[in-house]
Amino acid sequence: MHYKAIIIGTGPAGLTAAIYLARANVTPLVIEGIQPGGQLTTTTEVDNFPGFPDGIMGPELMDNMRKQALRFGATIQSGLVTGVDMSNRPFTLFLEDGSKLTADSLIISTGASAKKLGIPGEAENIGRGVSTCATCDGFFFRNKRIIVIGGGDTAMEEAKFLTRFASEVRVVHRRNELKASKIMQDHARGNEKIAWSLNRTPLEVTAGPMGVSGLKVRNNETGEEELLEADGIFLAIGHTPNTGFLGGQLPTDELGYLQVISGTSQTAIPGVFACGDVQDRIYRQAITSAGSGCMAALDAERFLSEQTLHIFA
Ligand SMILES: Cc1cc2nc3c(=O)[nH]c(=O)nc-3n(C[C@H](O)[C@H](O)[C@H](O)COP(=O)(O)OP(=O)(O)OC[C@H]3O[C@@H](n4cnc5c(N)ncnc54)[C@H](O)[C@@H]3O)c2cc1C
């Protein structure tokens, strides 16, 4: 099958792009991947998406976006894109079930996955005290004890941000030295609400019926196990942008985020656009993803109209 535009991913970026393209009569195909609705389907309340004064549950917000895209004629198809050939237009997409699709333009909105430790208690307590986003969830931890795991700039920034809510923030890092820049370390170390458990390897997230109760760690110096009590655990060990299926055809930054021309969604290949977390190492929010999804749709629409003009010129 051939489409004028194919959008890969149904998070806030992909579905916003779908709404805009469908309303512009481009009738895009949207491919869902293994997480229909994207990351917000894994959370409960979303309090910071404008337009919902009482907040909205993540899955409901995504279901609304999906219905809105369908209402204007977008087609949403389940399936995983395993490869793309961008050497010629139309671009060819290879799906996991062996089928092929072609498209005149492509919007990549495949998100970025937070890295996890893979320790017992971690996966089952995501949303019950384990979080990967301080901006999203910090507010829910007023006057509570929080652990931030990580030693880079992001961990320092998140720890500092979380001191606005928490009674104590404890940074846990498996090495004695932090990877964070000196200035970020100095800021964090100067904050009296931040405590430190360095040279500790996280072993297990402990939890009770009310959610997380602490983090079991091994003291790398003594080899002894310790239990650090906490109500919330924030993982700040990085993200992996979901770009493996692109096979390196598009330039990325050193962390693997797709690069776009500043102020646009245009990648290095004309007709290929990127939006949402997959190209955003800084903000990674639903609203910024939706905003960049809108940009990608407008850019794709302009690209497609210019191609039509060339044909008739
Ligand atoms: C637990 C949690 C809570 C959060 N809370 C908030 C909050 O309260 N407020 C806020 O603003 N932000 C929050 N965020 C962040 C927000 O969810 C993300 O910034 C946003 O979802 C990114 O949108 P996206 O469209 O770029 O990608 P995603 O939502 O990550 O969606 C990516 C999509 O791409 C698809 N995909 C990936 N690879 C492929 C492939 N190869 N083929 C086909 N499809 C593919 C996936 O199936 C998915 O549909 C939270 C994140 C998490 C994890």
Side-chain angles (χ1 to χ4, degrees):
M1 285 279 279
H2 178 76
Y3 294 86
K4 280 202 252 178
I6 293 183
I7 298 167
I8 312 177
T10 48
L15 288 178
T16 304
I19 292 167
Y20 273 76
L21 277 182
R23 285 194 82 239
N25 264 343
V26 174
T27 52
L29 174 73
V30 197
I31 304 174
E32 287 192 311
I34 48 165
Q35 195 173 52
Q39 295 172 58
L40 281 187
T41 58
T42 66
T43 192
T44 50
E45 279 139 284
V46 178
D47 268 346
N48 53 11
F49 200 88
F52 300 95
D54 301 319
I56 181 164
M57 300 304 265
E60 191 187 348
L61 176 61
M62 296 318 300
D63 197 41
N64 287 347
M65 286 192 202
R66 181 191 172 87
K67 285 182 185 144
Q68 203 171 344
L70 290 173
R71 181 180 146 218
F72 295 115
T75 304
I76 300 179
Q77 173 180 316
S78 57
L80 186 72
V81 179
T82 51
V84 184
D85 180 356
M86 299 182 193
S87 56
N88 289 302
R89 261 199 326 268
F91 307 116
T92 307
L93 280 75
F94 304 91
L95 272 70
E96 198 184 31
D97 64 3
S99 61
K100 278 187 207 173
L101 300 166
T102 55
D104 296 324
S105 66
L106 204 56
I107 293 182
I108 300 166
S109 49
T110 45
S113 310
K115 289 184 188 159
K116 314 267 171 30
L117 295 163
I119 57 175
E122 179 189 46
E124 51 272 44
N125 286 300
I126 295 259
R128 296 183 71 246
V130 175
S131 172
T132 54
C133 177
T135 313
C136 313
D137 297 333
F139 190 80
F140 301 118
F141 290 88
R142 278 188 185 282
N143 301 318
K144 306 255 178 178
R145 294 157 307 175
I146 290 178
I147 285 174
V148 172
I149 301 178
D153 279 351
T154 306
M156 298 305 107
E157 202 174 314
E158 302 227 326
K160 224 179 100 204
F161 175 76
L162 289 166
T163 59
R164 294 186 199 178
F165 314 100
S167 53
E168 179 196 84
V169 176
R170 177 171 294 278
V171 174
V172 173
H173 184 47
R174 66 203 152 97
R175 300 190 200 289
N176 232 343
E177 301 82 37
L178 298 168
K179 232 171 67 187
S181 59
K182 183 169 179 317
I183 183 145
M184 296 296 281
Q185 287 194 38
D186 288 349
H187 278 155
R189 288 191 192 279
N191 190 318
E192 57 189 25
K193 266 187 162 182
I194 299 182
W196 302 87
S197 289
L198 301 183
N199 216 2
R200 305 290 198 282
T201 302
L203 298 175
E204 182 185 348
V205 172
T206 59
M210 303 303 287
V212 162
S213 59
L215 180 70
K216 212 183 267 179
V217 294
R218 186 178 44 246
N219 182 327
N220 294 336
E221 213 171 320
T222 63
E224 278 172 19
E225 288 188 12
E226 300 166 0
L227 178 66
L228 306 172
E229 290 183 358
D231 308 290
I233 295 177
F234 284 75
L235 303 171
I237 50 175
H239 284 76
T240 308
N242 302 318
T243 58
F245 66 100
L246 295 171
Q249 291 170 88
L250 291 173
T252 61
D253 68 11
E254 73 282 7
L255 294 178
Y257 289 89
L258 291 180
Q259 287 185 317
V260 292
I261 296 171
S262 177
T264 76
S265 63
Q266 173 66 63
T267 67
I269 298 183
V272 181
F273 306 90
C275 53
D277 285 8
V278 73
Q279 52 83 57
D280 173 12
R281 62 190 283 174
I282 300 173
Y283 303 106
R284 289 195 302 261
Q285 292 295 290
I287 188 65
T288 46
S289 295
S292 67
C294 161
M295 289 166 65
L298 297 179
D299 289 343
E301 194 202 331
R302 196 164 305 126
F303 171 81
L304 291 167
S305 341
E306 281 164 8
Q307 299 307 303
T308 315
L309 284 178
H310 284 149
I311 291 169
F312 289 111

